[in-house]
Amino acid sequence: MEEKADVEEIVIVGAGIAGLTTALGLHRLGIRSLVLETSDCLRAAGYALTTWNNAWKALDALGIADSLRRQHDRLAGNVTFSAVSGLRTSDLLFTAHRDQEARTVMRKSLLEALAMDLPEGTIQYSSKLVSIEESGFLKVLHLADGTILKTKVLIGCDGVKSVVAKWLGFKKPSLSGRSATRGIVTYKDGHGFDNKFMWFFSKGLRFGVMPCNSNTVYWFSTWRPSKQDGEIEENPLRLKQHILSKLGKVPDGIRAVVEDTEVDSFVSLPLRYRHPWDLVWNNFCRGNVSIAGDALHSMTPDLGQGGCSALEDGVILARCLAEAIWRNPKEEVDEKEEYKRIEKGLEKYAKERRWRSIKLITASYVVGAIQESKGQVMNYLRDNIFADFLVGLLMKISDFDCGTIA
């Protein structure tokens, strides 16, 4: 068994969006952290994500927004269609809603941008956390390879199966009864689509196509598997045929995006969400331990806010921790006083994030239930009355400013 004698200031579990954002925010403020990542490299599962105003404010605060803007085109608006009738139900320009900045950002590009400015050795790959113990004011971390680490602060950004969230007393997020299938296609000579977010809805299906830039298109489909679907998600060929069979009346060019996606590139996973009341009744900070990202507020993707809110978390968490940890170099602080400062800093973070997280989880679930309803009445209301309202709700949700790092 290998044990490191040195005590880490801050250990972040998970090199996803929340974990790397927190680490970069801390680095910008002159505070070192260690990021433990289970995989042997940065993971880009999910291919891409929609980034709204709130995400770009966080990326601006981190100082990496402009490099990502150069790689990803700005979306001009949102167009919604009924895949049952083939008719357009909503057409909205983002400039009409607080000059909304929306782009489809490739996850790999985002993670690389977050990791690029971190000091060498910040991310420790192939490091899986298996258990947590307490030792005075420190947390003792046991890794799968036998390594033991000690840290003054522990932040869990380790997703829906978070070991840190479990230690805090949280149950694993619940299954929503829906699945999400995603893909990405790059066209050498350009894709030819307008620079808009295109949504298609039918009975029990939500399908979207979003250009990342002039050559690359990201698409997703959320749907409700039936008992007859069996193990379809584990068979990429059947999964591709299944998605194509559900598309209904969509333009041939849209259908071609799925057809052009390599079978081995299909990614499909069941959607999980944390019950909002878990965050009402449970503390997601205990002493010098807290959680962020999907470990805190896993949600369905119906508002496109999963990655955006993880960026918010990281900026606010880095700021609160820095305020708690920073001290005059001449000031002597004992272990107990330092622990109390860290505890207060994390409590401040929790206060800022609790109701925002509850709002996002709840709104995402409700919007998804409306959009994927199989009922005729709800489908009529969605296509003829709720379309503009739902888009407007999305715009309002994204009108959030996490503030600067300092």
Side-chain angles (χ1 to χ4, degrees):
M1 178 180 293
E2 180 185 351
E3 181 168 355
K4 291 188 176 181
D6 294 340
V7 175
E8 300 289 343
E9 287 286 330
I10 301 172
V11 170
I12 299 167
V13 185
I17 296 174
L20 293 180
T21 300
T22 306
L24 182 56
L26 289 168
H27 172 61
R28 297 287 194 233
L29 293 165
I31 299 173
R32 184 186 180 279
S33 62
L34 176 65
V35 181
L36 304 179
E37 170 54 41
T38 300
S39 301
D40 59 3
C41 61
L42 290 177
R43 293 171 294 145
Y47 292 124
L49 65 151
T50 314
T51 50
W52 304 97
N53 272 356
N54 53 323
W56 289 104
K57 288 175 181 175
L59 293 168
D60 278 324
L62 294 166
I64 62 172
D66 288 343
S67 65
L68 289 167
R69 286 184 175 109
R70 287 192 290 269
Q71 300 174 58
H72 304 89
D73 294 338
R74 186 167 180 171
L75 297 174
N78 181 95
V79 187
T80 306
F81 299 87
S82 168
V84 177
S85 66
L87 299 176
R88 181 176 302 189
T89 59
S90 175
D91 192 346
L92 180 144
L93 291 176
F94 290 148
T95 52
H97 285 259
R98 300 181 179 87
D99 199 21
Q100 179 70 239
E101 180 175 6
R103 301 172 195 262
T104 308
V105 173
M106 289 177 279
R107 189 175 293 267
K108 183 173 184 290
S109 299
L110 175 58
L111 295 181
E112 288 175 347
L114 290 168
M116 185 179 299
D117 288 349
L118 291 174
E120 185 176 353
T122 298
I123 306 174
Q124 183 173 302
Y125 294 105
S126 302
S127 300
K128 182 179 181 181
L129 176 66
V130 293
S131 65
I132 304 165
E133 293 180 347
E134 295 188 80
S135 177
F137 297 112
L138 303 176
K139 293 297 177 286
V140 181
L141 313 180
H142 296 264
L143 308 188
D145 64 359
T147 300
I148 298 175
L149 300 173
K150 294 180 180 180
T151 183
K152 296 178 182 179
V153 183
L154 175 62
I155 305 298
C157 301
D158 43 345
V160 295
K161 297 180 180 179
S162 173
V163 175
V164 182
K166 183 178 180 181
W167 186 86
L168 287 170
F170 283 87
K171 296 180 180 179
K172 185 185 297 185
S174 301
L175 288 168
S176 67
R178 301 162 59 203
S179 289
T181 305
R182 303 175 175 94
I184 197 164
V185 187
T186 298
Y187 295 94
K188 183 179 179 181
D189 298 322
H191 50 67
F193 291 116
D194 289 338
N195 208 26
K196 289 187 177 182
F197 193 153
M198 295 165 281
W199 302 72
F200 301 85
F201 298 103
S202 63
K203 294 180 180 179
L205 175 74
R206 174 176 174 265
F207 180 75
V209 174
M210 295 164 284
C212 298
N213 48 47
S214 58
N215 296 97
T216 304
V217 180
Y218 166 67
W219 64 266
F220 69 87
S221 174
T222 57
W223 49 287
R224 294 184 179 276
S226 64
K227 293 181 179 179
Q228 290 73 30
D229 291 330
E231 303 298 323
I232 192 172
E233 288 183 291
E234 298 177 9
N235 186 321
L237 182 58
R238 286 187 60 200
L239 181 61
K240 182 174 185 176
Q241 295 169 342
H242 180 77
I243 297 300
L244 287 168
S245 70
K246 282 182 164 289
L247 290 184
K249 293 183 179 180
V250 303
D252 291 341
I254 296 295
R255 185 178 295 274
V257 170
V258 180
E259 293 173 339
D260 293 340
T261 304
E262 297 292 334
V263 171
D264 293 341
S265 298
F266 274 67
V267 175
S268 190
L269 292 171
L271 295 176
R272 292 182 177 272
Y273 72 104
R274 189 172 293 291
H275 292 296
W277 50 84
D278 286 350
L279 302 186
V280 175
W281 302 114
N282 297 322
N283 289 323
F284 55 89
C285 291
R286 186 196 307 169
N288 55 356
V289 180
S290 191
I291 50 179
D294 281 347
L296 170 62
H297 47 56
S298 51
M299 66 188 79
T300 59
D302 305 286
L303 289 176
Q305 280 292 334
C308 299
S309 56
L311 288 164
E312 294 176 10
D313 288 345
V315 169
I316 294 171
L317 180 51
R319 184 173 63 238
C320 291
L321 273 175
E323 290 172 356
I325 292 173
W326 187 90
R327 59 180 178 270
N328 189 312
K330 296 181 181 180
E331 181 185 10
E332 292 185 7
V333 179
D334 61 24
E335 287 185 339
K336 184 176 181 180
E337 175 63 23
E338 186 176 42
Y339 180 88
K340 289 296 183 183
R341 290 186 180 186
I342 291 167
E343 184 177 39
K344 287 183 179 179
L346 292 178
E347 286 175 353
K348 181 179 180 181
Y349 158 72
K351 184 178 181 180
E352 289 195 41
R353 298 308 293 162
R354 186 182 306 278
W355 291 105
R356 170 70 172 168
S357 299
I358 290 169
K359 180 179 181 179
L360 289 172
I361 293 170
T362 305
S364 295
Y365 186 88
V366 171
V367 168
I370 294 172
Q371 290 179 336
E372 284 191 29
S373 172
K374 293 185 177 181
Q376 291 185 351
V377 173
M378 185 58 73
N379 285 342
Y380 175 83
L381 293 174
R382 179 197 65 205
D383 294 342
N384 295 279
I385 297 176
F386 289 160
D388 287 338
F389 168 77
L390 293 175
V391 175
L393 175 63
L394 192 155
M395 300 296 107
K396 186 175 180 179
I397 286 283
S398 68
D399 191 22
F400 178 89
D401 191 347
C402 62
T404 60
I405 290 292

